């Protein structure tokens, strides 16, 4: 039994690498089943966000290289290229890493709350795929509990700061009055919902939401008095948009250089501020080469994020202590569960021997045997059978010079010097 947590994140890999290692929602179930089938992993889950792609695995024996090879093959990367950005955590460190991730301690924005929901989604998908068993199931539940305690017992979640908040904060630095700007939001997921909320709170009243399905866009737009359109309507909306923020799950760019060039001409080169939060990217990188376009990706939000980290460092230290305690507690409980399995097997063996001797005693009594003699024979027989296997093994260990095992046996059976009963002289 061994736990592994491995993958890449915003600290170890550029957005170019992260978008190539990202899993789409449609890929996850098949990827999980393939992962278990090809790497001898008994249980597995995959967390894939704009800032990280991580695999959580339970195996009989640690085989990180095999898993990394599978990940490289799945995304058609060379193993060396993946190794340059990947990290691997084992056992206790893997447990602690998962808890840090779920608590927002490993996020681009320290303490951001969205990651816990994404972790819960990863667990749900793995359950759907049939790749989560009792061990990973316990680990996920312990992870959720640790993250909840961090949110409850520390100030790390107060005034939550997200990548969406950072994007709007950057827009405030570029536009002196956001209330006079029009925003085009591409996508209708959780991140874009947060963006819309932050923009609305900052006084932006003209918001357009573009999405693959008009229904999803309309549901979001209604919350903030925005206008809903389809992705195909984006070229027409660009000319009136001062702010463009995109976050979809598309595997191909949604917004190209040509469409933006055309919009700039209609705007008479009035600047457009763009933030591409998606991985893979929604906006072609070449768009950033255009004059009058200020294009940022998630990696460009570091400076904005850094300003928000200072007020959270004290809370982060307390959160780290809670996470470490949670990881320690989980490993203790896991070791206890291993003992439970051994005790269960030992009890079953003892009960089988008891039943055998009891049946013998009942037969003797049925044949008219003396009850006292039968009871004495039952006690001797049961004692001899219970002691037989341990006696054989202890003699073997003693012959091999395994004094450590003998000392362990003495502790296991609570045998202490002077504890043996002696008959009175």
């Amino acid at each position: 039994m061994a736990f592994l947590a491995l993958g890449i994140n915003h600290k170890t890999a550029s957005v170019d690498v992260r978008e190539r290692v990202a899993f789409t929602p449609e890929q996850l179930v098949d990827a999980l089943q393939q992962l278990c089938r090809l790497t001898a992993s008994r249980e597995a889950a995959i967390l894939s966000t704009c800032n990280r792609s991580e695999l959580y695995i339970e195996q009989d024996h640690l085989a990180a290289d095999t898993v990394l090879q599978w990940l490289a093959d799945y995304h058609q990367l060379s193993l060396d290229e993946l190794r340059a950005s990947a990290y691997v955590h084992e056992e206790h460190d893997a447990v602690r890493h998962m808890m840090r991730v779920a608590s927002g301690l490993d996020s681009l924005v320290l303490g951001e709350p969205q990651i816990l929901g994404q972790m819960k989604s990863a667990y749900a998908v793995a359950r759907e795929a049939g790749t989560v068993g009792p061990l990973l199931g316990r680990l996920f539940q312990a992870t959720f509990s640790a993250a909840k305690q961090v949110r409850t017992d520390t100030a790390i979640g107060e005034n939550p700061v997200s990548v969406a908040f950072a994007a709007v904060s950057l827009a405030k630095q570029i536009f002196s009055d956001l209330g006079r700007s029009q925003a085009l939001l591409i996508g209708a997921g959780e991140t874009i919902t947060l963006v819309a909320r932050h923009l609305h709170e900052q006084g932006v009243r003209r918001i357009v939401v573009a999405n693959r399905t008009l229904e999803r866009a309309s549901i979001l737009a209604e919350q903030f008095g925005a206008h809903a359109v389809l992705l195909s309507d984006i070229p027409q909306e660009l000319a009136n948009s001062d702010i463009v923020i995109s976050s979809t799950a598309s595997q191909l760019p949604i917004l190209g250089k040509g469409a933006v060039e055309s919009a700039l001409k209609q705007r008479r080169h009035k600047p457009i501020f763009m933030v591409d939060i998606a991985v893979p990217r929604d906006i072609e990188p070449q768009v950033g080469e255009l004059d009058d376009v200020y294009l940022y990706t998630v990696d460009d939000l570091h400076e904005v994020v850094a300003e928000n980290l200072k007020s959270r460092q004290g809370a982060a230290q307390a959160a780290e202590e809670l996470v470490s305690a949670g990881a320690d507690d989980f490993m203790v409980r896991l070791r206890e569960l291993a003992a439970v399995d051994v005790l269960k097997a030992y009890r079953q063996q003892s009960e089988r021997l008891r039943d055998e001797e009891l049946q013998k005693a009942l037969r003797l009594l049925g044949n008219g045997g003396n009850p006292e003699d039968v009871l004495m024979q039952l006690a001797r027989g049961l004692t001899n059978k219970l002691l037989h296997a341990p006696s054989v093994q202890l003699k073997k260990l003693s012959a091999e010079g395994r004094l450590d095992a003998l000392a362990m046996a003495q502790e296991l059976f609570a045998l202490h010097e002077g504890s043996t009963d002696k008959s009175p002289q």
Side-chain angles (χ1 to χ4, degrees):
M1 178 181 64
F3 285 119
L4 277 176
L6 57 84
I8 63 170
N9 64 18
H10 60 282
K11 299 176 183 176
T12 67
S14 67
V15 66
D16 300 285
V17 175
R18 296 202 307 276
E19 64 185 2
R20 294 167 65 195
V21 183
F23 292 85
T24 66
E26 294 77 19
Q27 290 176 317
L28 284 173
V29 170
D30 177 68
L32 283 165
Q33 293 170 347
Q34 185 187 124
L35 170 61
C36 288
R37 188 171 65 251
L38 298 181
T39 66
S41 298
R42 295 194 301 187
E43 302 180 39
I46 296 175
L47 173 67
S48 189
T49 72
C50 60
N51 283 325
R52 71 182 66 244
S53 288
E54 294 187 343
L55 280 58
Y56 308 126
I57 292 169
E58 191 270 317
Q59 300 176 322
D60 281 327
H61 304 287
L62 294 173
D65 286 345
T66 303
V67 177
L68 283 173
Q69 183 66 66
W70 174 84
L71 186 60
D73 291 344
Y74 189 89
H75 290 294
Q76 299 180 346
L77 299 170
S78 72
L79 182 58
D80 290 340
E81 187 177 9
L82 182 60
R83 280 188 196 279
S85 301
Y87 44 81
V88 177
H89 301 289
E90 301 175 356
E91 303 289 19
H92 181 278
D93 290 339
V95 173
R96 183 172 176 273
H97 176 75
M98 279 185 67
M99 291 182 176
R100 292 188 75 252
V101 170
S103 300
L105 291 170
D106 196 53
S107 296
L108 171 62
V109 180
L110 180 64
E112 61 95 2
Q114 285 74 37
I115 187 64
L116 178 57
Q118 292 165 333
M119 183 78 84
K120 289 181 177 180
S121 294
Y123 173 56
V125 171
R127 288 187 63 185
E128 177 188 345
T131 60
V132 165
L135 289 173
L136 267 189
R138 290 190 185 99
L139 178 51
F140 269 104
Q141 294 305 321
T143 297
F144 301 151
S145 295
K148 182 179 179 180
Q149 186 178 13
V150 166
R151 295 286 166 191
T152 302
D153 296 352
T154 74
I156 200 166
E158 291 183 2
N159 302 316
V161 178
S162 63
V163 171
F165 183 89
V168 175
S169 296
L170 192 57
K172 285 174 62 179
Q173 296 177 22
I174 294 175
F175 298 98
S176 57
D177 184 5
L178 284 182
R180 300 174 60 184
S181 303
Q182 176 166 312
L184 171 61
L185 308 183
I186 304 176
E190 185 177 1
T191 299
I192 288 298
T193 300
L194 284 171
V195 169
R197 180 173 294 114
H198 292 314
L199 287 172
H200 188 73
E201 290 171 352
Q202 293 298 321
V204 177
R205 294 294 173 261
R206 291 180 294 163
I207 299 176
V208 176
V209 179
N211 192 52
R212 183 173 57 85
T213 62
L214 193 59
E215 181 182 4
R216 285 286 303 276
S218 298
I219 292 172
L220 174 55
E222 286 176 7
Q223 298 180 48
F224 306 103
H227 178 56
V229 299
L230 292 169
L231 294 181
S232 56
D233 297 319
I234 288 176
Q236 290 74 41
E237 297 295 337
L238 271 177
N240 298 316
S241 301
D242 307 297
I243 300 169
V244 178
I245 301 178
S246 186
S247 178
T248 77
S250 174
Q251 292 301 290
L252 297 173
I254 290 173
L255 195 52
K257 185 177 180 180
V260 178
E261 280 182 315
S262 177
L264 286 171
K265 289 179 182 178
Q266 295 179 58
R267 291 171 60 83
R268 298 185 179 181
H269 296 280
K270 182 181 177 183
I272 303 178
F273 167 72
M274 295 183 171
V275 181
D276 188 351
I277 303 175
V279 177
R281 284 171 284 190
D282 286 337
I283 303 174
E284 287 183 350
Q286 292 78 10
V287 170
E289 300 170 1
L290 296 173
D291 292 335
D292 305 313
V293 170
Y294 300 91
L295 175 60
Y296 298 85
T297 68
V298 285
D299 290 350
D300 297 318
L301 299 177
H302 282 285
E303 288 186 16
V304 180
V305 169
E307 292 299 316
N308 299 304
L309 295 182
K310 297 175 184 177
S311 63
R312 297 192 172 204
Q313 292 302 329
Q317 181 57 42
E320 293 282 8
E321 293 172 3
L322 288 173
V323 164
S324 293
D328 291 344
D329 181 64
F330 178 79
M331 295 305 292
V332 168
R333 287 189 286 115
L334 197 61
R335 287 191 287 269
E336 289 174 348
L337 285 173
V340 167
D341 291 338
V342 174
L343 288 170
K344 182 179 179 181
Y346 184 58
R347 175 175 288 276
Q348 290 174 341
Q349 180 191 66
S350 300
E351 289 177 345
R352 178 177 55 80
L353 296 175
R354 177 204 63 196
D355 292 343
E356 290 175 359
E357 292 303 307
L358 183 59
Q359 290 302 317
K360 286 183 183 178
L362 291 172
R363 283 197 299 271
L364 289 173
L365 288 172
N367 292 330
N370 181 282
E372 185 175 347
D373 291 339
V374 171
L375 285 174
M376 291 296 293
Q377 185 173 338
L378 170 64
R380 282 195 301 271
L382 184 57
T383 301
N384 289 336
K385 285 199 171 184
L386 288 174
L387 290 176
H388 176 70
S391 298
V392 170
Q393 292 301 316
L394 283 172
K395 288 178 181 178
K396 178 182 176 183
L397 293 170
S398 180
E400 294 173 353
R402 293 284 306 280
L403 300 181
D404 58 330
L406 293 177
M408 182 65 71
Q410 193 165 17
E411 181 179 350
L412 178 64
F413 293 113
L415 303 175
H416 307 291
E417 287 188 26
S419 66
T420 305
D421 291 336
K422 296 182 180 179
S423 299
Q425 299 296 320

Tab-separated table of all heavy atoms in Angstrom, residues 1-5 32-33 35-37 39-46 55-60 67 123 126-127 129-140 330 334:
chain	number	residue	atom	x	y	z
A	1	MET	N	0.855	-1.196	0.000
A	1	MET	CA	0.000	0.000	0.000
A	1	MET	C	0.883	1.235	0.000
A	1	MET	O	1.727	1.415	0.875
A	1	MET	CB	-0.891	-0.002	1.245
A	1	MET	CG	-1.770	1.210	1.379
A	1	MET	SD	-2.760	1.109	2.890
A	1	MET	CE	-1.482	1.159	4.160
A	2	ALA	N	0.718	2.104	-1.009
A	2	ALA	CA	1.558	3.304	-1.109
A	2	ALA	C	0.773	4.413	-1.799
A	2	ALA	O	0.071	4.168	-2.778
A	2	ALA	CB	2.821	2.993	-1.896
A	3	PHE	N	0.909	5.629	-1.265
A	3	PHE	CA	0.253	6.792	-1.860
A	3	PHE	C	1.256	7.584	-2.678
A	3	PHE	O	2.413	7.754	-2.294
A	3	PHE	CB	-0.314	7.704	-0.767
A	3	PHE	CG	-1.562	7.185	-0.121
A	3	PHE	CD1	-1.591	6.913	1.231
A	3	PHE	CD2	-2.719	6.980	-0.863
A	3	PHE	CE1	-2.739	6.432	1.832
A	3	PHE	CE2	-3.869	6.505	-0.268
A	3	PHE	CZ	-3.875	6.230	1.079
A	4	LEU	N	0.793	8.100	-3.801
A	4	LEU	CA	1.588	8.994	-4.640
A	4	LEU	C	0.760	10.213	-5.014
A	4	LEU	O	-0.429	10.099	-5.298
A	4	LEU	CB	1.999	8.295	-5.943
A	4	LEU	CG	3.220	7.388	-5.960
A	4	LEU	CD1	3.342	6.745	-7.338
A	4	LEU	CD2	4.484	8.156	-5.638
A	5	ALA	N	1.400	11.377	-5.019
A	5	ALA	CA	0.801	12.584	-5.589
A	5	ALA	C	1.856	13.163	-6.514
A	5	ALA	O	2.961	13.486	-6.079
A	5	ALA	CB	0.432	13.581	-4.495
A	32	LEU	N	-8.659	8.066	-16.379
A	32	LEU	CA	-8.526	7.406	-15.073
A	32	LEU	C	-8.526	5.887	-15.224
A	32	LEU	O	-7.702	5.188	-14.614
A	32	LEU	CB	-9.676	7.835	-14.160
A	32	LEU	CG	-9.554	9.224	-13.533
A	32	LEU	CD1	-10.896	9.677	-12.973
A	32	LEU	CD2	-8.500	9.215	-12.426
A	33	GLN	N	-9.428	5.371	-16.017
A	33	GLN	CA	-9.509	3.923	-16.204
A	33	GLN	C	-8.270	3.397	-16.918
A	33	GLN	O	-7.751	2.325	-16.574
A	33	GLN	CB	-10.786	3.582	-16.975
A	33	GLN	CG	-12.050	3.892	-16.167
A	33	GLN	CD	-13.325	3.783	-16.978
A	33	GLN	OE1	-13.289	3.713	-18.205
A	33	GLN	NE2	-14.463	3.763	-16.298
A	35	LEU	N	-5.299	4.847	-16.805
A	35	LEU	CA	-4.207	5.001	-15.840
A	35	LEU	C	-4.122	3.783	-14.920
A	35	LEU	O	-3.042	3.224	-14.700
A	35	LEU	CB	-4.423	6.273	-15.024
A	35	LEU	CG	-3.529	6.500	-13.800
A	35	LEU	CD1	-2.060	6.587	-14.214
A	35	LEU	CD2	-3.938	7.785	-13.087
A	36	CYS	N	-5.248	3.360	-14.381
A	36	CYS	CA	-5.256	2.200	-13.487
A	36	CYS	C	-4.896	0.919	-14.236
A	36	CYS	O	-4.185	0.060	-13.709
A	36	CYS	CB	-6.621	2.056	-12.826
A	36	CYS	SG	-6.956	3.312	-11.560
A	37	ARG	N	-5.356	0.821	-15.453
A	37	ARG	CA	-5.125	-0.397	-16.235
A	37	ARG	C	-3.657	-0.548	-16.649
A	37	ARG	O	-3.104	-1.656	-16.633
A	37	ARG	CB	-6.023	-0.370	-17.483
A	37	ARG	CG	-6.008	-1.661	-18.281
A	37	ARG	CD	-7.069	-1.643	-19.357
A	37	ARG	NE	-6.839	-0.625	-20.374
A	37	ARG	CZ	-7.571	0.472	-20.515
A	37	ARG	NH1	-8.591	0.693	-19.692
A	37	ARG	NH2	-7.308	1.357	-21.465
A	39	THR	N	-0.853	1.158	-15.351
A	39	THR	CA	0.221	1.439	-14.380
A	39	THR	C	0.100	0.611	-13.107
A	39	THR	O	0.820	0.857	-12.140
A	39	THR	CB	0.235	2.924	-13.988
A	39	THR	OG1	-0.972	3.243	-13.268
A	39	THR	CG2	0.343	3.818	-15.207
A	40	ALA	N	-0.797	-0.363	-13.089
A	40	ALA	CA	-0.991	-1.202	-11.902
A	40	ALA	C	-1.345	-0.376	-10.672
A	40	ALA	O	-0.996	-0.731	-9.552
A	40	ALA	CB	0.262	-2.036	-11.627
A	41	SER	N	-2.024	0.744	-10.904
A	41	SER	CA	-2.521	1.548	-9.789
A	41	SER	C	-3.889	1.023	-9.402
A	41	SER	O	-4.761	0.848	-10.248
A	41	SER	CB	-2.628	3.027	-10.194
A	41	SER	OG	-1.349	3.539	-10.529
A	42	ARG	N	-4.084	0.758	-8.111
A	42	ARG	CA	-5.360	0.203	-7.666
A	42	ARG	C	-6.437	1.272	-7.563
A	42	ARG	O	-7.614	1.011	-7.780
A	42	ARG	CB	-5.187	-0.499	-6.314
A	42	ARG	CG	-4.273	-1.708	-6.399
A	42	ARG	CD	-4.361	-2.577	-5.178
A	42	ARG	NE	-4.021	-1.856	-3.960
A	42	ARG	CZ	-3.890	-2.434	-2.774
A	42	ARG	NH1	-4.090	-3.738	-2.659
A	42	ARG	NH2	-3.561	-1.730	-1.706
A	43	GLU	N	-6.019	2.497	-7.211
A	43	GLU	CA	-6.959	3.607	-7.089
A	43	GLU	C	-6.302	4.856	-7.668
A	43	GLU	O	-5.080	5.022	-7.583
A	43	GLU	CB	-7.344	3.849	-5.626
A	43	GLU	CG	-7.974	2.648	-4.938
A	43	GLU	CD	-8.342	2.947	-3.494
A	43	GLU	OE1	-8.807	4.080	-3.231
A	43	GLU	OE2	-8.151	2.067	-2.634
A	44	ALA	N	-7.111	5.754	-8.237
A	44	ALA	CA	-6.541	6.957	-8.845
A	44	ALA	C	-7.586	8.055	-8.970
A	44	ALA	O	-8.776	7.785	-9.113
A	44	ALA	CB	-5.961	6.635	-10.224
A	45	ALA	N	-7.107	9.297	-8.916
A	45	ALA	CA	-7.937	10.478	-9.170
A	45	ALA	C	-7.062	11.509	-9.862
A	45	ALA	O	-5.838	11.527	-9.686
A	45	ALA	CB	-8.507	11.040	-7.863
A	46	ILE	N	-7.698	12.356	-10.665
A	46	ILE	CA	-6.964	13.386	-11.412
A	46	ILE	C	-7.586	14.747	-11.127
A	46	ILE	O	-8.801	14.925	-11.255
A	46	ILE	CB	-6.993	13.122	-12.933
A	46	ILE	CG1	-6.260	11.813	-13.265
A	46	ILE	CG2	-6.359	14.282	-13.696
A	46	ILE	CD1	-6.357	11.416	-14.735
A	55	LEU	N	-2.037	13.909	-10.263
A	55	LEU	CA	-2.571	12.563	-10.161
A	55	LEU	C	-2.383	12.089	-8.723
A	55	LEU	O	-1.285	12.216	-8.157
A	55	LEU	CB	-1.832	11.607	-11.108
A	55	LEU	CG	-2.220	11.616	-12.591
A	55	LEU	CD1	-2.047	13.009	-13.210
A	55	LEU	CD2	-1.377	10.604	-13.361
A	56	TYR	N	-3.443	11.554	-8.137
A	56	TYR	CA	-3.396	10.998	-6.787
A	56	TYR	C	-3.631	9.494	-6.913
A	56	TYR	O	-4.680	9.075	-7.426
A	56	TYR	CB	-4.454	11.637	-5.893
A	56	TYR	CG	-4.406	13.147	-5.910
A	56	TYR	CD1	-5.547	13.899	-6.204
A	56	TYR	CD2	-3.221	13.840	-5.656
A	56	TYR	CE1	-5.502	15.283	-6.226
A	56	TYR	CE2	-3.173	15.221	-5.677
A	56	TYR	CZ	-4.317	15.933	-5.967
A	56	TYR	OH	-4.277	17.310	-5.996
A	57	ILE	N	-2.691	8.701	-6.430
A	57	ILE	CA	-2.677	7.275	-6.759
A	57	ILE	C	-2.377	6.426	-5.530
A	57	ILE	O	-1.592	6.815	-4.665
A	57	ILE	CB	-1.609	7.010	-7.850
A	57	ILE	CG1	-2.045	7.669	-9.164
A	57	ILE	CG2	-1.385	5.530	-8.054
A	57	ILE	CD1	-0.972	7.694	-10.200
A	58	GLU	N	-3.000	5.243	-5.475
A	58	GLU	CA	-2.682	4.243	-4.459
A	58	GLU	C	-2.217	2.991	-5.178
A	58	GLU	O	-2.883	2.494	-6.090
A	58	GLU	CB	-3.912	3.954	-3.593
A	58	GLU	CG	-3.596	3.122	-2.340
A	58	GLU	CD	-3.698	1.638	-2.576
A	58	GLU	OE1	-4.655	1.203	-3.231
A	58	GLU	OE2	-2.806	0.902	-2.099
A	59	GLN	N	-1.028	2.497	-4.795
A	59	GLN	CA	-0.438	1.328	-5.439
A	59	GLN	C	0.068	0.354	-4.373
A	59	GLN	O	0.263	0.729	-3.216
A	59	GLN	CB	0.744	1.735	-6.332
A	59	GLN	CG	0.395	2.697	-7.447
A	59	GLN	CD	1.635	3.130	-8.231
A	59	GLN	OE1	2.704	3.337	-7.673
A	59	GLN	NE2	1.475	3.272	-9.540
A	60	ASP	N	0.319	-0.877	-4.786
A	60	ASP	CA	0.945	-1.844	-3.876
A	60	ASP	C	2.393	-1.441	-3.606
A	60	ASP	O	2.879	-1.537	-2.483
A	60	ASP	CB	0.916	-3.246	-4.486
A	60	ASP	CG	-0.460	-3.895	-4.330
A	60	ASP	OD1	-1.126	-3.616	-3.325
A	60	ASP	OD2	-0.863	-4.663	-5.222
A	67	VAL	N	4.096	5.882	-13.745
A	67	VAL	CA	2.984	6.829	-13.852
A	67	VAL	C	3.394	8.042	-14.690
A	67	VAL	O	2.623	8.522	-15.533
A	67	VAL	CB	2.511	7.269	-12.461
A	67	VAL	CG1	1.401	8.309	-12.573
A	67	VAL	CG2	2.021	6.071	-11.657
A	123	TYR	N	-12.754	14.195	-7.079
A	123	TYR	CA	-13.167	13.005	-6.326
A	123	TYR	C	-14.448	12.411	-6.924
A	123	TYR	O	-14.561	11.187	-7.095
A	123	TYR	CB	-13.378	13.397	-4.866
A	123	TYR	CG	-13.963	12.316	-3.991
A	123	TYR	CD1	-13.347	11.075	-3.873
A	123	TYR	CD2	-15.134	12.547	-3.264
A	123	TYR	CE1	-13.879	10.086	-3.059
A	123	TYR	CE2	-15.676	11.560	-2.442
A	123	TYR	CZ	-15.040	10.335	-2.342
A	123	TYR	OH	-15.574	9.365	-1.540
A	126	ALA	N	-13.699	10.626	-10.195
A	126	ALA	CA	-13.002	9.364	-9.949
A	126	ALA	C	-13.966	8.295	-9.441
A	126	ALA	O	-13.855	7.119	-9.798
A	126	ALA	CB	-11.865	9.572	-8.958
A	127	ARG	N	-14.927	8.709	-8.637
A	127	ARG	CA	-15.947	7.759	-8.174
A	127	ARG	C	-16.791	7.286	-9.363
A	127	ARG	O	-17.131	6.108	-9.472
A	127	ARG	CB	-16.828	8.406	-7.122
A	127	ARG	CG	-16.145	8.623	-5.787
A	127	ARG	CD	-17.115	9.108	-4.741
A	127	ARG	NE	-18.155	8.131	-4.464
A	127	ARG	CZ	-19.186	8.341	-3.657
A	127	ARG	NH1	-19.328	9.520	-3.056
A	127	ARG	NH2	-20.084	7.405	-3.455
A	129	ALA	N	-15.809	7.080	-12.383
A	129	ALA	CA	-14.971	6.203	-13.202
A	129	ALA	C	-14.706	4.865	-12.523
A	129	ALA	O	-14.176	3.943	-13.147
A	129	ALA	CB	-13.646	6.898	-13.512
A	130	GLY	N	-15.045	4.761	-11.252
A	130	GLY	CA	-14.806	3.522	-10.518
A	130	GLY	C	-13.367	3.322	-10.109
A	130	GLY	O	-12.920	2.197	-9.882
A	131	THR	N	-12.606	4.421	-9.997
A	131	THR	CA	-11.178	4.303	-9.678
A	131	THR	C	-10.847	4.754	-8.261
A	131	THR	O	-9.677	4.871	-7.909
A	131	THR	CB	-10.329	5.117	-10.683
A	131	THR	OG1	-10.710	6.500	-10.631
A	131	THR	CG2	-10.523	4.590	-12.097
A	132	VAL	N	-11.858	5.052	-7.462
A	132	VAL	CA	-11.633	5.386	-6.056
A	132	VAL	C	-12.138	4.232	-5.197
A	132	VAL	O	-13.274	3.800	-5.341
A	132	VAL	CB	-12.359	6.692	-5.656
A	132	VAL	CG1	-12.424	6.821	-4.140
A	132	VAL	CG2	-11.629	7.893	-6.224
A	133	GLY	N	-11.260	3.738	-4.331
A	133	GLY	CA	-11.615	2.671	-3.418
A	133	GLY	C	-11.573	3.173	-1.982
A	133	GLY	O	-11.568	4.385	-1.735
A	134	PRO	N	-11.477	2.270	-1.018
A	134	PRO	CA	-11.533	2.680	0.392
A	134	PRO	C	-10.384	3.574	0.840
A	134	PRO	O	-10.599	4.498	1.639
A	134	PRO	CB	-11.519	1.337	1.144
A	134	PRO	CG	-10.984	0.332	0.170
A	134	PRO	CD	-11.426	0.805	-1.166
A	135	LEU	N	-9.188	3.342	0.330
A	135	LEU	CA	-8.042	4.123	0.817
A	135	LEU	C	-8.061	5.561	0.297
A	135	LEU	O	-7.972	6.518	1.067
A	135	LEU	CB	-6.742	3.423	0.433
A	135	LEU	CG	-6.493	2.127	1.214
A	135	LEU	CD1	-5.289	1.389	0.662
A	135	LEU	CD2	-6.287	2.420	2.688
A	136	LEU	N	-8.182	5.738	-1.024
A	136	LEU	CA	-8.267	7.103	-1.557
A	136	LEU	C	-9.536	7.782	-1.070
A	136	LEU	O	-9.549	9.000	-0.849
A	136	LEU	CB	-8.241	7.087	-3.093
A	136	LEU	CG	-6.884	7.251	-3.775
A	136	LEU	CD1	-7.075	7.431	-5.282
A	136	LEU	CD2	-6.084	8.409	-3.213
A	137	GLY	N	-10.591	6.995	-0.899
A	137	GLY	CA	-11.829	7.572	-0.379
A	137	GLY	C	-11.616	8.176	0.997
A	137	GLY	O	-12.048	9.300	1.273
A	138	ARG	N	-10.926	7.446	1.874
A	138	ARG	CA	-10.623	7.981	3.212
A	138	ARG	C	-9.726	9.205	3.113
A	138	ARG	O	-9.887	10.168	3.867
A	138	ARG	CB	-9.937	6.909	4.061
A	138	ARG	CG	-10.845	5.767	4.477
A	138	ARG	CD	-10.149	4.879	5.502
A	138	ARG	NE	-10.954	3.718	5.831
A	138	ARG	CZ	-10.775	2.512	5.303
A	138	ARG	NH1	-9.810	2.326	4.423
A	138	ARG	NH2	-11.551	1.508	5.653
A	139	LEU	N	-8.747	9.160	2.199
A	139	LEU	CA	-7.816	10.281	2.068
A	139	LEU	C	-8.535	11.539	1.595
A	139	LEU	O	-8.287	12.636	2.113
A	139	LEU	CB	-6.695	9.914	1.091
A	139	LEU	CG	-5.657	11.003	0.808
A	139	LEU	CD1	-5.097	11.593	2.091
A	139	LEU	CD2	-4.534	10.451	-0.071
A	140	PHE	N	-9.431	11.409	0.640
A	140	PHE	CA	-10.180	12.575	0.173
A	140	PHE	C	-11.044	13.152	1.299
A	140	PHE	O	-11.104	14.374	1.474
A	140	PHE	CB	-11.047	12.216	-1.033
A	140	PHE	CG	-10.371	12.428	-2.360
A	140	PHE	CD1	-9.881	11.362	-3.086
A	140	PHE	CD2	-10.212	13.711	-2.872
A	140	PHE	CE1	-9.242	11.559	-4.313
A	140	PHE	CE2	-9.582	13.931	-4.091
A	140	PHE	CZ	-9.091	12.847	-4.809
A	330	PHE	N	-3.962	11.388	9.853
A	330	PHE	CA	-4.414	10.438	8.833
A	330	PHE	C	-3.485	9.236	8.764
A	330	PHE	O	-3.940	8.089	8.677
A	330	PHE	CB	-4.487	11.112	7.464
A	330	PHE	CG	-4.892	10.170	6.361
A	330	PHE	CD1	-6.217	9.824	6.181
A	330	PHE	CD2	-3.938	9.600	5.533
A	330	PHE	CE1	-6.594	8.929	5.180
A	330	PHE	CE2	-4.305	8.715	4.534
A	330	PHE	CZ	-5.636	8.383	4.358
A	334	LEU	N	-4.343	5.386	9.415
A	334	LEU	CA	-4.095	4.415	8.352
A	334	LEU	C	-3.316	3.217	8.891
A	334	LEU	O	-3.617	2.060	8.569
A	334	LEU	CB	-3.325	5.082	7.218
A	334	LEU	CG	-3.314	4.354	5.873
A	334	LEU	CD1	-4.733	4.223	5.344
A	334	LEU	CD2	-2.443	5.090	4.878
